[in-house]
């Protein structure tokens, strides 16, 4: 192998390292999209550490399939699909039940949101009460701002199912939202 890692030689045979451009392309994608994917994963899991694990698993699976992804403009949808599927199957895994807490704290390099008098936390607490599938629809439709068709494609369900899940989830959120956060209560006061 030369200093650039471009060629391998041995027994009179020269081979070109074709994985380098692939790795560079994947690294560029990962660097550009990881914060957005982490946000989506957090919204799906409700826990920062589980979200980081979910993103890591999704990116590992994407890397293994990088050459198979034909349409580079649909990679985000492909990764979101991986994350939703992985999140839905996590509870089935036996190793998840063998995790335990430790006294060692991880590095504290997190971003702090702007002060909003607890409204975001209150809204998110209500969103977390939704069932997994309904929460996935809400996250993809309203947090990720995907269309009904894109959401349906990622979740592998029909557009009609997305509409009905979103409608029921929003009705549930309106019911469960604290009085001061419910937009319908503000209309009644006018």
């Amino acid at each position: 192998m030369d200093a650039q890692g471009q060629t391998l030689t041995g027994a009179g045979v020269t081979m070109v390292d074709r994985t380098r451009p692939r790795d560079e392309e994947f690294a560029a994608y990962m660097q550009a999209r990881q914060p957005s994917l982490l946000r989506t994963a957090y919204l799906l899991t409700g826990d920062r550490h589980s979200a980081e694990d979910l993103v890591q698993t999704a990116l590992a699976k994407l890397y293994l399939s990088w050459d198979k992804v034909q349409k580079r403009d649909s990679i985000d949808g492909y990764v979101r699909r991986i994350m939703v599927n992985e999140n839905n199957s996590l509870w089935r895994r036996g190793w998840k039940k063998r995790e335990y807490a430790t006294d060692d704290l991880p590095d504290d390099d997190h971003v702090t949101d702007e002060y909003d008098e607890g409204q975001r936390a209150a809204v998110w607490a209500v969103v977390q009460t939704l069932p997994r599938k309904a929460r996935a629809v809400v996250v993809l439709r309203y947090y990720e701002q995907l269309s009904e068709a894109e959401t349906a494609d990622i979740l592998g369900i029909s557009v009609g199912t997305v509409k009905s899940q979103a409608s029921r989830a929003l009705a549930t959120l309106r019911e469960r939202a604290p009085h001061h956060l419910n937009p319908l209560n503000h209309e009644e006061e006018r």
Side-chain angles (χ1 to χ4, degrees), residues 26-42 48 51-60 62 75-76 79 83 144:
F26 180 79
Y29 171 81
M30 187 175 70
Q31 185 175 9
R33 300 300 298 153
Q34 193 167 12
S36 175
L37 295 173
L38 185 58
R39 183 189 72 207
T40 301
Y42 177 78
R48 179 178 177 198
E52 290 170 349
D53 291 344
L54 185 60
V55 170
Q56 183 175 357
T57 300
L59 289 172
L62 175 63
I75 293 175
D76 286 347
V79 175
M83 289 194 308
E144 289 294 316

Side-chain angles (χ1 to χ4, degrees), residues 9 22 77 87:
T9 59
R22 171 183 177 250
N87 186 53

Side-chain angles (χ1 to χ4, degrees), residues 137-153:
V137 168
V138 168
V139 165
L140 294 174
R141 280 287 290 133
Y142 302 106
Y143 283 90
E144 289 294 316
Q145 298 179 349
L146 298 180
S147 69
E148 291 167 341
E150 291 168 324
T151 302
D153 186 48

Side-chain angles (χ1 to χ4, degrees), residues 59-122:
L59 289 172
K61 288 187 173 201
L62 175 63
Y63 180 79
L64 294 174
S65 301
W66 189 253
D67 293 331
K68 296 176 190 172
V69 179
Q70 301 296 321
K71 296 179 182 176
R72 292 293 190 214
D73 59 338
S74 63
I75 293 175
D76 286 347
Y78 184 72
V79 175
R80 285 188 193 107
R81 177 64 186 236
I82 292 171
M83 289 194 308
V84 168
N85 289 345
E86 282 296 309
N87 186 53
N88 287 341
S89 66
L90 274 177
W91 63 272
R92 296 182 198 141
R93 297 189 181 154
W95 63 265
K96 184 78 172 162
K97 296 174 185 157
R98 292 190 299 263
E99 288 184 357
Y100 58 92
T102 67
D103 291 332
D104 299 326
L105 294 176
D107 294 335
D108 195 18
D109 294 337
H110 65 279
V111 177
T112 305
D113 289 344
E114 296 176 18
Y115 182 70
D116 66 354
E117 298 181 5
Q119 291 175 337
R120 289 182 191 179

